Amino acid sequence: MTLTDIANIALEEIGANAIGNIDGNDVNARRIKRRIFLSIETMSKKRNWVCLRKDVELTRCIEKFFDDRYVFNIPNGLLNVISESAKWERFADGFLSREPRLRIFGTFLSYDPDTWNVNLTNAIIAQIKKDIAPQFVKPEVIQNIFAISEQTIRDAMLSDAYDEHNKIIDKNPTWYSEI
């Protein structure tokens, strides 16, 4: 799936014409290209989405700082730190830590739809619809698009929260296990 596919799904769901390419020169392609990256960033920051989580070891950029702390570069696209291997604090464009190695588990921004799960994809499409609706639909329809998009985003976030936990699926369920 590409960003053009994502854009076309959003456009078609609000009743607008599809585009040939997100980088195209037609009016609709330029309109949606102005908004799509902001929509992706907005939705990616709303939650620690399961599909955006990574465990990375940070690169030291200075061997030792003046007070025996190490300086580490901030990884590209870092949205949120969920957990870390050692205590750290933010310093200018990096992290300071007394440990010589620092690993973090966090969420990272991705503009590649192939790395998104179905929950994030649905939420991003809903956010795009909210963001572009005023440019494409009649004013009396906008409120409905906003309401449906908000519900879709809530459902996607709840589904992603459910996906965080290991699910135990019984191969031979009984009638009372459903209760």
Side-chain angles (χ1 to χ4, degrees), residues 49-61:
W49 297 93
V50 172
C51 60
L52 297 180
R53 295 178 186 182
K54 290 182 192 172
D55 186 21
V56 296
E57 183 162 348
L58 303 184
T59 306
R60 274 189 304 203
C61 60

Side-chain angles (χ1 to χ4, degrees), residues 129-145:
K129 288 190 310 189
K130 276 178 57 181
D131 291 344
I132 65 171
Q135 300 171 11
F136 288 94
V137 299
K138 296 176 183 169
E140 57 269 10
V141 181
I142 292 174
Q143 202 60 32
N144 291 338
I145 291 173

Side-chain angles (χ1 to χ4, degrees), residues 54-90:
K54 290 182 192 172
D55 186 21
V56 296
E57 183 162 348
L58 303 184
T59 306
R60 274 189 304 203
C61 60
I62 297 176
E63 191 59 34
K64 280 216 175 181
F65 207 51
F66 64 89
D67 62 349
D68 286 339
R69 291 187 292 180
Y70 298 92
V71 179
F72 297 90
N73 291 327
I74 297 175
N76 289 337
L78 178 66
L79 297 171
N80 190 27
V81 176
I82 298 171
S83 64
E84 65 279 330
S85 63
K87 290 191 178 247
W88 58 271
E89 63 184 76
R90 186 77 186 252

